[in-house]
Amino acid sequence: MKKPFVTLEKVNEIVNTHSTPFYIYDEKGIRENARKLKEAFSWNKGFKEYFAVKATPNPFILQILKEEGCGSDCSSETELMISEAVGITGSEIMFSSNNTPEGEFTKAKELGAIINLDDYTHIDFLKEECGIPETICCRYNPGGVYEVSNGIMDNPGDAKYGFTKQQLIDGYKKLMELGAKNFGIHSFLVSNTVTNDYYPALARTLFELAVELKNETNANITFINLSGGIGIPYLPEEKGNDIMVIGEGVRKAYEEILVPNGLGDVAIFTELGRYMLAPYAHLVTKAIHEKHIYKEYLGVDACAVNLMRPAMYGAYHHITVLGKEETPLDTMYDVVGSLCENNDKFAIDRMLPKVDMGDYLVIHDTGAHGFAMGYNYNGKLKSAELLLKEDDSVQLIRRAETPEDYFATFDFCDILKQK
Ligand SMILES: *Cc1c(COP(=O)(O)O)cnc(C)c1O
């Protein structure tokens, strides 16, 4: 069963200062998990996690991860700016962009970030814009369907990302002619995998590719970036990944493929987002209306603006009614927000304890791709983000939006000017 990391008592205390809805992050959970990842890959001298900033673009969260030894994976100018603001610079940044707008490679190069090219044509684009750096990475797309032991996982052949194998061979040669000296390989083939087999399988694919690229081009391959994709169990009955087993699986592939081929110094990088943060935040929201028509509706003060995943993908997020953790789940609800959009539902046909107005609901596993995906449809404002610190105190790490924020882009004129 999923247990919230805050109690009703704690939330009652928090709402004296911060009104619902709000996000709350668990510093202790974030740190412990980051340490465990590091431990799982401690066999690799150069190992580094580059946290995918898009999952949780909050400088306070990045600061915590930086203290745990993580860098950042950015794919836009503003993500680079957030990293820079917390002092993550140089080779601590992986710039894994695609369809990259003009100017962003320049910004990345100024920061000394490792540039991860998404396409063969980006070699010339980068050369023209700011020149080819000494260290460079290329993203691989194997095409077709990607299978691991338990069947088809995804369809890289339909994905917009990466180089084909022949383009990688040609690309490495061209980059060497243009002055590149150290090379990396990157690939992201499947999202939210809840199996210990994905990373080891991907590692095998990329390690074999590294050997082939080395033989074909004689490039100096210094790192392999396994990127994101390790998932979390959103469903209470699902079994989570075991990061120690995953790390060991990658180590085995490394010993079998890279070491005998003279690539025993290659560093392993990851760019995890979801795995690093998803379990370590709750969206806390209050029950404000109940409605009995053809179904039972429970209206809460959060909406899809605060968390889009259920509306966008039909994603499951577990819900706990605080203070009723032990109460039987005897009532079926659709838990809804207030958007004029019928997909604005956090849960459909969900069994919960009978909810009273004013009850607080915890929506679990919202720490990654949660707040970040929000938008402002219906003029709804984004919530605050709070941090539950290790000493049990609560820190504001992003204030809630105000109408002034919503109207800020009209500040070139007098309409809607705030007095
Ligand atoms: C989104 C993304 C990640 C992180 O993915 P998760 O599924 O959150 O682990 C890593 N790398 C790149 C390039 C991405 O786009």
Side-chain angles (χ1 to χ4, degrees):
M1 224 37 224
K2 283 187 185 277
K3 194 172 172 297
F5 58 79
V6 288
T7 58
L8 175 60
E9 193 187 0
K10 189 74 192 170
V11 166
N12 277 330
E13 180 194 315
I14 295 169
V15 294
N16 288 324
T17 323
H18 306 286
S19 49
T20 55
F22 57 77
Y23 269 76
I24 186 159
Y25 294 84
D26 172 20
E27 178 176 13
K28 184 162 174 280
I30 294 168
R31 287 191 189 273
E32 283 174 1
N33 184 62
R35 283 173 202 168
K36 205 147 171 234
L37 172 73
K38 233 170 120 178
E39 190 192 333
F41 285 90
S42 58
W43 53 267
N44 182 256
K45 206 159 67 50
F47 175 76
K48 193 167 185 73
E49 151 70 4
Y50 291 82
F51 175 67
V53 175
K54 75 163 188 273
T56 321
N58 185 306
F60 293 88
I61 299 292
L62 281 198
Q63 180 65 42
I64 292 171
L65 291 170
K66 177 179 149 75
E67 286 166 18
E68 298 301 335
C70 302
S72 68
D73 157 38
C74 302
S75 57
S76 67
E77 185 176 8
T78 46
E79 289 180 356
L80 288 169
M81 289 164 77
I82 297 175
S83 296
E84 188 181 12
V86 298
I88 300 177
T89 57
S91 60
E92 310 253 278
I93 303 177
M94 186 70 57
F95 189 60
S96 294
S97 61
N98 70 90
N99 190 22
T100 311
E102 203 178 329
E104 297 199 352
F105 281 139
T106 304
K107 173 78 181 166
K109 196 154 173 263
E110 277 168 14
L111 288 173
I114 301 173
I115 291 174
N116 179 19
L117 294 177
D118 181 67
D119 187 49
Y120 184 81
T121 64
H122 282 23
I123 298 171
D124 279 331
F125 182 73
L126 176 64
K127 184 185 85 176
E128 297 303 317
E129 187 174 297
C130 55
I132 302 294
E134 277 200 1
T135 299
I136 190 107
C137 185
C138 296
R139 183 168 184 165
Y140 174 51
N141 182 334
V145 293
Y146 198 71
E147 299 181 43
V148 292
S149 53
N150 55 350
I152 293 177
M153 296 201 76
D154 215 332
N155 217 337
D158 284 342
K160 67 172 176 170
Y161 309 107
F163 291 53
T164 66
K165 187 183 281 183
Q166 189 56 49
Q167 286 175 336
L168 276 185
I169 295 169
D170 298 341
Y172 268 35
K173 288 180 181 163
K174 181 166 177 167
L175 284 161
M176 277 192 286
E177 279 165 25
L178 295 170
K181 296 198 162 52
N182 312 306
F183 288 80
I185 306 170
H186 169 282
S187 196
F188 185 0
L189 302 182
V190 194
S191 214
N192 193 28
T193 58
V194 192
T195 158
N196 294 329
D197 297 335
Y198 168 65
Y199 248 26
L202 174 68
R204 254 165 221 283
T205 303
L206 297 187
F207 294 169
E208 280 162 6
L209 174 68
V211 172
E212 209 177 325
L213 280 171
K214 184 187 164 220
N215 293 339
E216 292 274 338
T217 69
N218 216 19
N220 177 34
I221 297 169
T222 58
F223 66 88
I224 290 173
N225 184 342
L226 301 175
S227 186
I230 299 186
I232 63 129
Y234 285 98
L235 296 162
E237 64 271 22
E238 237 172 338
K239 193 168 172 295
N241 292 311
D242 184 335
I243 199 67
M244 298 309 288
V245 172
I246 291 173
E248 179 57 22
V250 175
R251 190 191 64 80
K252 256 175 93 183
Y254 191 100
E255 298 291 333
E256 279 173 39
I257 303 164
L258 291 184
V259 173
N261 282 288
L263 288 166
D265 285 332
V266 166
I268 300 299
F269 294 164
T270 58
E271 278 177 352
L272 297 167
R274 193 184 312 273
Y275 186 76
M276 301 307 287
L277 252 299
Y280 310 111
H282 299 324
L283 171 57
V284 179
T285 182
K286 187 164 71 175
I288 56 171
H289 291 287
E290 55 189 320
K291 174 164 176 163
H292 322 281
I293 50 169
Y294 309 102
K295 296 185 85 173
E296 289 296 302
Y297 290 96
L298 178 64
V300 295
D301 62 0
C303 65
V305 161
N306 306 109
L307 176 68
M308 249 178 125
R309 298 185 72 257
M312 194 164 172
Y313 313 116
Y316 180 95
H317 280 270
H318 197 64
I319 295 176
T320 301
V321 183
L322 287 179
K324 296 184 176 172
E325 288 84 348
E326 307 301 327
T327 311
L329 311 177
D330 59 3
T331 313
M332 196 198 282
Y333 291 106
D334 281 12
V335 180
V336 304
S338 54
L339 293 189
C340 305
E341 261 289 351
N342 195 40
N343 66 357
D344 183 17
K345 293 171 182 160
F346 291 113
I348 295 172
D349 296 338
R350 182 75 56 90
M351 294 307 294
L352 294 175
K354 172 91 183 67
V355 175
D356 293 297
M357 295 307 93
D359 279 354
Y360 294 109
L361 278 65
V362 155
I363 305 182
H364 290 256
D365 302 319
T366 56
H369 313 296
F371 183 96
M373 265 192 199
Y375 59 139
N376 282 118
Y377 198 49
N378 261 178
K380 297 283 177 182
L381 305 175
K382 295 178 79 181
S383 78
E385 291 182 296
L386 310 176
L387 179 66
L388 179 68
K389 306 197 27 151
E390 286 179 296
D391 64 5
D392 211 40
S393 65
V394 172
Q395 182 190 355
L396 180 69
I397 58 170
R398 188 195 302 262
R399 68 162 170 79
E401 281 182 341
T402 63
E404 286 85 344
D405 296 317
Y406 184 67
F407 298 135
T409 43
F410 298 109
D411 62 359
F412 62 92
C413 66
D414 287 335
I415 304 168
L416 285 163
K417 190 149 242 167
Q418 301 297 304
K419 286 169 213 89

